Amino acid sequence: MQTGLFKWKPDYDGAASEYSKAATAFKNAKAYEQTISSLMKASEVQKKSGSSMEAAALIYKELKEFHKIANLVEEASNLYLEHGVPDTASIALERAAKMIETHEPERAIELYKKACDVCEGEDRVRHSAEMAGKAARIYIRLKRFDEAAEHLKKEIDHLSTVNHQGQLNKLMMALVLIHLHQDDFVAADQAFKAAFSYDRFVESEEASAIEQLLKAYEEGDQEAADGIVKSPLFRYMENDFTKLARDLKVPGGLLSGKTEKSVPNATPSGEGDVTASGGGDAPTGADKGPEEEEEEDEFAGGLL
């Protein structure tokens, strides 16, 4: 990009175009390291192009270097924000988070949370709720229930402002399940009662199911709880929430309506006792029948 007598300014756009062409050629040849190098040079001559960085991140996916995807897209999102395109930034963050959440779940959470913050700043309430919810679901898989409850509550709070009632009811069921997995009945009950302020929640099927589940949990009735979480309302929730329902254990839970099995051959005290040597021993003299006594008497005097 040298200047000359008839060229006073470097042709950055032309250079970026050539680097992009080189990147395409390297990619077709599966020379991925050179592809990334060309894309990063294209980004540099374009004064840090976020789109070129995103393209490089896709190559890192081919190389299964997932941590580099997160770092690169996060940098790209910062550039988008600097250039006043927050929508593009949040989309890039969400796309990268989805790409890495299986392999780098904690980094994926960070990207979802950043996307959530970007959307909040732009008053994109529904999308902000979605990003908080995606972070919550990963926290559930990691069994980090405190953070899961926090982010699910954030999703609920956002959705409550846009009157998304059907989804809200399902999320309230999930929030109660999370608190019960924490063995925190009080928090579960408080979350349930707080939902009474949501339009038509009280008369919903979900509210009735939650109330029954809380009652079974409080009474330590594992059998009742199992029956409730096997109902269609719980079984057809999102997969992460269904697993919470399926794995719910009631502390000290008892199976109602069932008694301990009796021990086989057990008899009331003092009746039918057997000796320590086992129940198959021959009867003693006191217990012999008449026929047995006659057989013994026949030889009582010995042989003649």
Side-chain angles (χ1 to χ4, degrees), residues 14-55:
S17 176
E18 293 304 315
Y19 279 128
S20 295
K21 289 177 182 178
T24 300
F26 282 129
K27 182 181 178 183
N28 291 338
K30 298 188 183 298
Y32 294 131
E33 293 294 346
Q34 291 91 331
T35 304
I36 292 169
S37 177
S38 297
L39 288 169
M40 294 307 294
K41 286 178 180 177
S43 173
E44 186 177 343
V45 298
Q46 289 175 308
K47 297 182 179 180
K48 297 289 186 180
S49 164
S51 59
S52 294
M53 288 184 176
E54 280 196 84

Short mmCIF file of all heavy atoms in Angstrom, two decimals, residues 14-55:
data_model
loop_
_atom_site.label_atom_id
_atom_site.label_comp_id
_atom_site.label_asym_id
_atom_site.label_seq_id
_atom_site.Cartn_x
_atom_site.Cartn_y
_atom_site.Cartn_z
N GLY A 14 -8.92 -1.59 -1.36
CA GLY A 14 -8.37 -2.53 -2.34
C GLY A 14 -7.54 -3.61 -1.67
O GLY A 14 -7.62 -4.79 -2.03
N ALA A 15 -6.75 -3.20 -0.67
CA ALA A 15 -5.92 -4.17 0.05
C ALA A 15 -6.79 -5.17 0.80
O ALA A 15 -6.53 -6.38 0.79
CB ALA A 15 -5.00 -3.44 1.03
N ALA A 16 -7.84 -4.66 1.44
CA ALA A 16 -8.75 -5.55 2.17
C ALA A 16 -9.39 -6.56 1.23
O ALA A 16 -9.55 -7.74 1.57
CB ALA A 16 -9.81 -4.73 2.88
N SER A 17 -9.76 -6.09 0.05
CA SER A 17 -10.37 -6.98 -0.94
C SER A 17 -9.41 -8.09 -1.35
O SER A 17 -9.80 -9.26 -1.47
CB SER A 17 -10.81 -6.17 -2.16
OG SER A 17 -11.32 -7.01 -3.16
N GLU A 18 -8.15 -7.73 -1.56
CA GLU A 18 -7.16 -8.73 -1.97
C GLU A 18 -6.89 -9.74 -0.85
O GLU A 18 -6.75 -10.94 -1.11
CB GLU A 18 -5.85 -8.04 -2.39
CG GLU A 18 -5.97 -7.19 -3.65
CD GLU A 18 -6.48 -7.99 -4.83
OE1 GLU A 18 -6.00 -9.13 -5.05
OE2 GLU A 18 -7.39 -7.49 -5.53
N TYR A 19 -6.82 -9.24 0.37
CA TYR A 19 -6.63 -10.15 1.50
C TYR A 19 -7.83 -11.11 1.63
O TYR A 19 -7.66 -12.30 1.94
CB TYR A 19 -6.46 -9.38 2.80
CG TYR A 19 -5.06 -8.85 3.03
CD1 TYR A 19 -4.84 -7.50 3.33
CD2 TYR A 19 -3.95 -9.69 2.96
CE1 TYR A 19 -3.56 -7.00 3.54
CE2 TYR A 19 -2.66 -9.21 3.18
CZ TYR A 19 -2.47 -7.86 3.46
OH TYR A 19 -1.20 -7.38 3.68
N SER A 20 -9.02 -10.59 1.39
CA SER A 20 -10.21 -11.44 1.46
C SER A 20 -10.19 -12.51 0.38
O SER A 20 -10.58 -13.67 0.62
CB SER A 20 -11.48 -10.58 1.32
OG SER A 20 -11.60 -9.69 2.41
N LYS A 21 -9.74 -12.14 -0.82
CA LYS A 21 -9.62 -13.12 -1.90
C LYS A 21 -8.60 -14.20 -1.53
O LYS A 21 -8.82 -15.39 -1.79
CB LYS A 21 -9.21 -12.43 -3.20
CG LYS A 21 -10.30 -11.56 -3.81
CD LYS A 21 -9.78 -10.86 -5.07
CE LYS A 21 -10.84 -9.94 -5.66
NZ LYS A 21 -10.34 -9.20 -6.85
N ALA A 22 -7.50 -13.76 -0.94
CA ALA A 22 -6.48 -14.72 -0.52
C ALA A 22 -7.03 -15.66 0.54
O ALA A 22 -6.78 -16.88 0.52
CB ALA A 22 -5.26 -13.98 0.02
N ALA A 23 -7.82 -15.10 1.46
CA ALA A 23 -8.41 -15.93 2.52
C ALA A 23 -9.33 -16.99 1.93
O ALA A 23 -9.33 -18.15 2.36
CB ALA A 23 -9.19 -15.04 3.49
N THR A 24 -10.10 -16.60 0.92
CA THR A 24 -11.00 -17.56 0.26
C THR A 24 -10.21 -18.68 -0.40
O THR A 24 -10.57 -19.87 -0.29
CB THR A 24 -11.87 -16.85 -0.78
OG1 THR A 24 -12.64 -15.83 -0.14
CG2 THR A 24 -12.80 -17.82 -1.47
N ALA A 25 -9.12 -18.32 -1.07
CA ALA A 25 -8.30 -19.33 -1.73
C ALA A 25 -7.67 -20.28 -0.71
O ALA A 25 -7.65 -21.50 -0.91
CB ALA A 25 -7.21 -18.64 -2.56
N PHE A 26 -7.17 -19.72 0.38
CA PHE A 26 -6.57 -20.56 1.42
C PHE A 26 -7.62 -21.48 2.06
O PHE A 26 -7.34 -22.65 2.35
CB PHE A 26 -5.93 -19.69 2.51
CG PHE A 26 -4.60 -19.11 2.13
CD1 PHE A 26 -4.34 -17.75 2.28
CD2 PHE A 26 -3.59 -19.93 1.64
CE1 PHE A 26 -3.11 -17.22 1.94
CE2 PHE A 26 -2.34 -19.40 1.30
CZ PHE A 26 -2.11 -18.04 1.44
N LYS A 27 -8.81 -20.95 2.24
CA LYS A 27 -9.87 -21.77 2.84
C LYS A 27 -10.24 -22.94 1.94
O LYS A 27 -10.43 -24.07 2.40
CB LYS A 27 -11.11 -20.91 3.12
CG LYS A 27 -12.24 -21.68 3.80
CD LYS A 27 -13.45 -20.80 4.04
CE LYS A 27 -14.57 -21.61 4.68
NZ LYS A 27 -15.80 -20.78 4.87
N ASN A 28 -10.34 -22.67 0.65
CA ASN A 28 -10.66 -23.74 -0.31
C ASN A 28 -9.59 -24.82 -0.32
O ASN A 28 -9.87 -25.99 -0.56
CB ASN A 28 -10.84 -23.16 -1.71
CG ASN A 28 -12.09 -22.31 -1.83
OD1 ASN A 28 -13.03 -22.46 -1.04
ND2 ASN A 28 -12.11 -21.40 -2.79
N ALA A 29 -8.36 -24.40 -0.03
CA ALA A 29 -7.25 -25.35 0.02
C ALA A 29 -7.10 -25.97 1.41
O ALA A 29 -6.16 -26.75 1.64
CB ALA A 29 -5.95 -24.65 -0.37
N LYS A 30 -8.02 -25.61 2.32
CA LYS A 30 -8.00 -26.09 3.71
C LYS A 30 -6.72 -25.69 4.44
O LYS A 30 -6.26 -26.38 5.35
CB LYS A 30 -8.21 -27.60 3.78
CG LYS A 30 -9.56 -28.06 3.23
CD LYS A 30 -9.80 -29.52 3.49
CE LYS A 30 -11.11 -29.99 2.87
NZ LYS A 30 -12.28 -29.30 3.41
N ALA A 31 -6.14 -24.58 4.01
CA ALA A 31 -4.97 -24.02 4.70
C ALA A 31 -5.51 -23.00 5.71
O ALA A 31 -5.50 -21.78 5.47
CB ALA A 31 -4.03 -23.37 3.70
N TYR A 32 -5.99 -23.51 6.83
CA TYR A 32 -6.77 -22.68 7.74
C TYR A 32 -5.95 -21.62 8.46
O TYR A 32 -6.44 -20.51 8.70
CB TYR A 32 -7.50 -23.56 8.74
CG TYR A 32 -8.55 -24.45 8.11
CD1 TYR A 32 -8.60 -25.81 8.38
CD2 TYR A 32 -9.48 -23.92 7.23
CE1 TYR A 32 -9.56 -26.62 7.78
CE2 TYR A 32 -10.44 -24.72 6.63
CZ TYR A 32 -10.48 -26.07 6.91
OH TYR A 32 -11.43 -26.86 6.32
N GLU A 33 -4.73 -21.92 8.81
CA GLU A 33 -3.91 -20.93 9.50
C GLU A 33 -3.66 -19.72 8.59
O GLU A 33 -3.74 -18.57 9.04
CB GLU A 33 -2.58 -21.54 9.94
CG GLU A 33 -2.71 -22.62 11.02
CD GLU A 33 -3.20 -22.07 12.35
OE1 GLU A 33 -3.19 -20.83 12.53
OE2 GLU A 33 -3.61 -22.87 13.20
N GLN A 34 -3.37 -19.99 7.32
CA GLN A 34 -3.16 -18.89 6.37
C GLN A 34 -4.47 -18.13 6.11
O GLN A 34 -4.45 -16.91 5.89
CB GLN A 34 -2.61 -19.42 5.04
CG GLN A 34 -1.17 -19.94 5.13
CD GLN A 34 -1.12 -21.43 5.47
OE1 GLN A 34 -2.01 -21.95 6.14
NE2 GLN A 34 -0.06 -22.09 5.00
N THR A 35 -5.58 -18.85 6.17
CA THR A 35 -6.88 -18.20 6.01
C THR A 35 -7.09 -17.18 7.12
O THR A 35 -7.48 -16.02 6.87
CB THR A 35 -8.02 -19.24 6.06
OG1 THR A 35 -7.79 -20.24 5.08
CG2 THR A 35 -9.36 -18.57 5.80
N ILE A 36 -6.83 -17.61 8.35
CA ILE A 36 -7.00 -16.71 9.49
C ILE A 36 -6.07 -15.51 9.39
O ILE A 36 -6.47 -14.36 9.63
CB ILE A 36 -6.76 -17.48 10.81
CG1 ILE A 36 -7.87 -18.51 11.02
CG2 ILE A 36 -6.69 -16.52 11.99
CD1 ILE A 36 -7.59 -19.50 12.14
N SER A 37 -4.83 -15.77 9.01
CA SER A 37 -3.85 -14.69 8.87
C SER A 37 -4.32 -13.65 7.85
O SER A 37 -4.24 -12.44 8.08
CB SER A 37 -2.49 -15.27 8.46
OG SER A 37 -1.56 -14.24 8.25
N SER A 38 -4.84 -14.12 6.72
CA SER A 38 -5.31 -13.20 5.67
C SER A 38 -6.51 -12.39 6.15
O SER A 38 -6.62 -11.19 5.88
CB SER A 38 -5.68 -13.99 4.41
OG SER A 38 -4.54 -14.64 3.88
N LEU A 39 -7.42 -13.05 6.86
CA LEU A 39 -8.60 -12.35 7.36
C LEU A 39 -8.23 -11.30 8.40
O LEU A 39 -8.81 -10.20 8.43
CB LEU A 39 -9.59 -13.35 7.96
CG LEU A 39 -10.33 -14.23 6.94
CD1 LEU A 39 -11.06 -15.36 7.64
CD2 LEU A 39 -11.31 -13.39 6.12
N MET A 40 -7.28 -11.61 9.26
CA MET A 40 -6.86 -10.65 10.27
C MET A 40 -6.15 -9.45 9.62
O MET A 40 -6.29 -8.31 10.09
CB MET A 40 -5.96 -11.32 11.30
CG MET A 40 -6.66 -12.39 12.13
SD MET A 40 -8.18 -11.81 12.92
CE MET A 40 -7.51 -10.61 14.08
N LYS A 41 -5.42 -9.70 8.55
CA LYS A 41 -4.79 -8.59 7.82
C LYS A 41 -5.86 -7.73 7.14
O LYS A 41 -5.75 -6.50 7.10
CB LYS A 41 -3.80 -9.12 6.81
CG LYS A 41 -2.51 -9.65 7.44
CD LYS A 41 -1.57 -10.23 6.41
CE LYS A 41 -0.29 -10.75 7.07
NZ LYS A 41 0.63 -11.39 6.10
N ALA A 42 -6.88 -8.39 6.61
CA ALA A 42 -7.99 -7.64 6.01
C ALA A 42 -8.66 -6.76 7.06
O ALA A 42 -9.01 -5.60 6.80
CB ALA A 42 -9.00 -8.60 5.40
N SER A 43 -8.83 -7.31 8.26
CA SER A 43 -9.43 -6.55 9.34
C SER A 43 -8.57 -5.35 9.72
O SER A 43 -9.07 -4.25 9.96
CB SER A 43 -9.63 -7.45 10.56
OG SER A 43 -10.05 -6.71 11.68
N GLU A 44 -7.27 -5.58 9.73
CA GLU A 44 -6.33 -4.52 10.14
C GLU A 44 -6.35 -3.35 9.16
O GLU A 44 -6.40 -2.19 9.57
CB GLU A 44 -4.93 -5.10 10.24
CG GLU A 44 -3.91 -4.13 10.79
CD GLU A 44 -2.54 -4.77 10.95
OE1 GLU A 44 -2.46 -6.01 10.94
OE2 GLU A 44 -1.56 -4.01 11.08
N VAL A 45 -6.31 -3.63 7.86
CA VAL A 45 -6.27 -2.54 6.89
C VAL A 45 -7.61 -1.82 6.81
O VAL A 45 -7.69 -0.68 6.35
CB VAL A 45 -5.84 -3.03 5.48
CG1 VAL A 45 -4.44 -3.60 5.52
CG2 VAL A 45 -6.83 -4.03 4.92
N GLN A 46 -8.66 -2.49 7.28
CA GLN A 46 -9.98 -1.85 7.32
C GLN A 46 -10.20 -1.16 8.67
O GLN A 46 -11.34 -0.86 9.03
CB GLN A 46 -11.08 -2.89 7.11
CG GLN A 46 -11.15 -3.42 5.68
CD GLN A 46 -12.18 -4.52 5.54
OE1 GLN A 46 -12.18 -5.49 6.31
NE2 GLN A 46 -13.07 -4.38 4.58
N LYS A 47 -9.12 -0.93 9.37
CA LYS A 47 -9.18 -0.31 10.70
C LYS A 47 -10.02 -1.16 11.64
O LYS A 47 -11.00 -0.70 12.24
CB LYS A 47 -9.72 1.12 10.62
CG LYS A 47 -8.82 2.04 9.81
CD LYS A 47 -9.35 3.46 9.80
CE LYS A 47 -8.42 4.37 9.00
NZ LYS A 47 -8.90 5.77 8.95
N LYS A 48 -9.61 -2.40 11.72
CA LYS A 48 -10.25 -3.36 12.62
C LYS A 48 -11.69 -3.64 12.21
O LYS A 48 -12.64 -3.16 12.82
CB LYS A 48 -10.21 -2.87 14.07
CG LYS A 48 -8.81 -2.73 14.65
CD LYS A 48 -8.18 -4.08 14.90
CE LYS A 48 -6.84 -3.96 15.60
NZ LYS A 48 -6.22 -5.27 15.83
N SER A 49 -11.84 -4.42 11.18
CA SER A 49 -13.17 -4.79 10.70
C SER A 49 -13.72 -5.95 11.52
O SER A 49 -13.11 -7.02 11.59
CB SER A 49 -13.10 -5.18 9.22
OG SER A 49 -14.26 -5.87 8.83
N GLY A 50 -14.87 -5.74 12.12
CA GLY A 50 -15.50 -6.79 12.90
C GLY A 50 -15.92 -7.97 12.04
O GLY A 50 -15.84 -9.13 12.47
N SER A 51 -16.36 -7.70 10.82
CA SER A 51 -16.83 -8.79 9.96
C SER A 51 -15.70 -9.74 9.59
O SER A 51 -15.90 -10.96 9.53
CB SER A 51 -17.48 -8.22 8.69
OG SER A 51 -16.55 -7.42 7.97
N SER A 52 -14.51 -9.21 9.36
CA SER A 52 -13.36 -10.08 9.05
C SER A 52 -12.98 -10.91 10.27
O SER A 52 -12.59 -12.08 10.14
CB SER A 52 -12.16 -9.24 8.59
OG SER A 52 -12.44 -8.60 7.36
N MET A 53 -13.11 -10.33 11.45
CA MET A 53 -12.83 -11.08 12.67
C MET A 53 -13.83 -12.22 12.85
O MET A 53 -13.47 -13.33 13.26
CB MET A 53 -12.86 -10.15 13.89
CG MET A 53 -11.69 -9.21 13.98
SD MET A 53 -11.76 -8.24 15.50
CE MET A 53 -10.23 -7.33 15.38
N GLU A 54 -15.09 -11.94 12.56
CA GLU A 54 -16.10 -13.00 12.66
C GLU A 54 -15.81 -14.13 11.68
O GLU A 54 -15.98 -15.31 12.00
CB GLU A 54 -17.49 -12.42 12.38
CG GLU A 54 -18.12 -11.69 13.54
CD GLU A 54 -19.59 -11.49 13.32
OE1 GLU A 54 -20.37 -12.42 13.62
OE2 GLU A 54 -19.97 -10.41 12.84
N ALA A 55 -15.37 -13.75 10.48
CA ALA A 55 -15.03 -14.77 9.49
C ALA A 55 -13.86 -15.63 9.98
O ALA A 55 -13.85 -16.85 9.80
CB ALA A 55 -14.69 -14.11 8.16
#
